[in-house]
Amino acid sequence: MTVTHGQPFTTEITDILVAHCGLDADAAARSPAASLEELGMDSLALLELSAVVADRWRVQIPEQSGQLSIPAVADLVARRTQPPGHTENSIVIAAPLPLVWERTNDVARWTELFTEYAAVEILHRDGDTVRFRLTMHPDENGIAWSWVSERTADPASHQVRAYRVETGPFEYMRIHWSYTEEPEGVRMTWVQDFAMKPTAPVDNAGMTARINANSRVQLALIKERVERAYAGGGDE
């Protein structure tokens, strides 16, 4: 959840500051965007706040919390107490397993398979492990997001495990791909487990919704492109 004025945790943080740290409740009400330091909270008050928050929610507040407003502290607590992100999406591709495996794990050619990636740079290979940089097409703000990931494929079990080396807005991002043969073709399943940083522009729930929506689009495109390659003899 994203916390704003009057929403969960804001009242609780304010009550802690008033009861344990000497906050003037009227001053806080008059200046909701003020930082804790601007509201007169010194280092001892911040230590007390950190201790109460850690005891109540098992959340650690950063040392620079004095620069945060009460709603910002509430948002941090809310993000840290919500469950981590988890998504699972799959699709059946009507093509042989060797072709599906080869096409979807050819990282260097992912710009031909995914519509979201503008560039792929292979940084290192070691057997079935590849480290690479992905760069997306610019978003609506003109920002081209880029990060480094590492991916290890297991051809024997037809599973792939990956993680973001450069995590960006994520605390962590772990990815598991699996392939199983079914009567209609090969089911490719994507599982992603992650958590967002407190400073990220979206929380775990919001990113879960984004990943689910985008995964369904990309899986449908991959299905269409791999099946077209199979129908054309695998030469596309």
Side-chain angles (χ1 to χ4, degrees), residues 122-177:
I122 303 300
L123 303 176
H124 180 71
R125 287 188 184 274
D126 182 8
D128 291 316
T129 297
V130 58
R131 181 169 288 204
F132 54 97
R133 175 173 291 281
L134 286 174
T135 301
M136 302 184 75
H137 293 287
D139 62 15
E140 62 275 10
N141 298 313
I143 300 174
W145 297 98
S146 181
W147 66 90
V148 172
S149 290
E150 187 166 292
R151 179 179 176 86
T152 300
D154 182 358
S157 65
H158 296 110
Q159 297 186 64
V160 183
R161 297 192 181 275
Y163 69 97
R164 282 199 182 198
V165 177
E166 295 178 356
T167 57
F170 295 90
E171 291 275 9
Y172 63 88
M173 165 62 83
R174 296 190 289 267
I175 303 168
H176 178 217
W177 287 19

Side-chain angles (χ1 to χ4, degrees), residues 26-39:
D26 292 335
R30 289 193 300 269
S31 305
S35 70
L36 297 181
E37 289 180 350
E38 290 170 336
L39 291 172

